[in-house]
Amino acid sequence: MAVTQEQIDAAIDMLISMVVMDLAKEQGCSPSDLMPTFLKSHTASLLYDETQKYWSYGPSYIAEMYKKEMAE
């Protein structure tokens, strides 16, 4: 069974939702307030680049990547 691009994108979207929910809780803000900033980040763009395979590292790793990016 082949995995479609739509399925891959949906999985990445769910991963991003989990990351944003965790980050928002940690930062004491609303996920809906944080989501636009996250989606504009380099971290988010890497997640949608399948060749990078960052989506396979899981939410905690992605959250750390994002925090590191924001600290720079």
Side-chain angles (χ1 to χ4, degrees):
M1 179 176 165
V3 177
T4 67
Q5 185 62 45
E6 187 175 280
Q7 291 169 319
I8 292 168
D9 289 344
I12 293 169
D13 290 343
M14 287 190 305
L15 175 61
I16 287 174
S17 292
M18 291 188 307
V19 170
V20 168
M21 287 173 52
D22 288 347
L23 287 168
K25 184 177 180 182
E26 183 180 302
Q27 295 176 8
C29 65
S30 165
S32 59
D33 290 339
L34 182 59
M35 184 65 81
T37 304
F38 184 86
L39 290 175
K40 292 176 188 173
S41 72
H42 182 66
T43 301
S45 66
L46 288 173
L47 288 172
Y48 283 105
D49 180 355
E50 290 177 47
T51 63
Q52 299 293 326
K53 305 245 187 255
Y54 281 110
W55 51 265
S56 68
Y57 293 117
S60 296
Y61 183 85
I62 303 304
E64 289 304 314
M65 279 178 55
Y66 178 75
K67 289 191 275 187
K68 205 178 223 183
E69 176 185 349
M70 292 298 105
E72 294 176 351

